[in-house]
């Protein structure tokens, strides 16, 4: 029996999408308002799903509180109220803070800290209620 458990967390962060070697016109053509020079913020909604077989005694695949603490410590507290372009404390240099890149790097941060009897299934990140990216470790 495999069960999927999801924990949701939240952070606010600013970014700007910009490729230095492109002209201003090309940046705005590709990134639209996300290229605005003075940055802008998003209210990010992070949803992380783990999977596994419930422990016969606790009924847990992983303590959801512990999962929450990992997400806060490794991701939300690191990114919350930061400028993801300037603060340079999460994404490698030169990696743009798109939702697609963030889900990959969030996976790398949290995967080593999960309980042994469960696996990370997906990292889903909403940038707005209409745009999100999801990563399954492929
Ligand atoms: Ni944006």
């Amino acid at each position: 029996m495999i069960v999927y458990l999801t924990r949701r967390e939240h952070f606010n962060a600013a970014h700007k999408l910009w490729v230095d070697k492109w002209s201003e016109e090309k940046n705005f053509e590709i990134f639209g308002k996300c290229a605005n020079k003075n940055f802008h913020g998003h209210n990010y909604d992070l949803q992380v799903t783990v999977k596994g077989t419930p422990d016969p005694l606790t009924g847990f695949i992983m303590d959801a509180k512990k999962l929450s603490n990992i997400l806060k410590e490794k991701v939300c507290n690191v990114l919350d109220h930061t400028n993801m372009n300037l603060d340079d404390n999460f994404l490698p240099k030169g990696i743009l803070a798109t939702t697609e890149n963030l889900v990959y790097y969030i996976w790398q941060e949290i995967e080593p800290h999960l309980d042994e009897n469960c696996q990370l299934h997906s990292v889903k990140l909403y940038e707005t209620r209409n745009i999100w990216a999801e990563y399954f470790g492929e």
Side-chain angles (χ1 to χ4, degrees):
M1 172 170 92
I2 301 293
V3 177
Y4 294 76
L5 173 75
T6 300
R7 179 72 204 194
R8 178 181 211 170
E9 298 293 340
H10 187 83
F11 62 91
N12 304 312
H15 73 167
K16 177 174 83 168
L17 301 182
W18 187 271
V19 172
D20 280 335
K21 65 181 180 187
W22 289 351
S23 66
E24 188 171 322
E25 191 186 25
K26 171 87 170 174
N27 271 289
F28 278 98
E29 180 196 322
I30 300 299
F31 296 127
K33 286 191 288 189
C34 273
N36 280 351
K37 74 176 162 89
N38 289 331
F39 308 94
H40 62 277
H42 291 286
N43 296 314
Y44 288 97
D45 189 48
L46 173 63
Q47 296 177 19
V48 170
T49 301
V50 295
K51 67 178 177 182
T53 301
D55 180 273
L57 192 61
T58 63
F60 288 170
I61 58 173
M62 180 172 178
D63 182 342
K65 183 72 193 160
K66 189 178 168 194
L67 179 57
S68 168
N69 288 339
I70 292 167
L71 300 182
K72 284 178 184 149
E73 186 188 323
K74 301 295 175 190
V75 180
C76 298
N77 293 348
V78 180
L79 288 172
D80 194 35
H81 287 70
T82 64
N83 180 317
M84 294 188 284
N85 295 73
L86 301 181
D87 285 326
D88 195 22
N89 60 350
F90 190 82
L91 292 170
K93 226 177 172 45
I95 300 293
L96 284 181
T98 61
T99 321
E100 295 93 317
N101 282 335
L102 284 165
V103 289
Y104 172 79
Y105 287 100
I106 291 169
W107 178 292
Q108 307 309 319
E109 284 299 317
I110 60 181
E111 206 269 338
H113 303 284
L114 299 177
D115 285 359
E116 272 176 19
N117 63 327
C118 75
Q119 276 181 291
L120 187 51
H121 172 67
S122 68
V123 173
K124 190 177 200 175
L125 184 69
Y126 284 80
E127 185 176 89
T128 72
R129 79 171 69 172
N130 296 322
I131 301 174
W132 65 91
E134 194 165 11
Y135 181 59
F136 297 94
E138 293 168 1

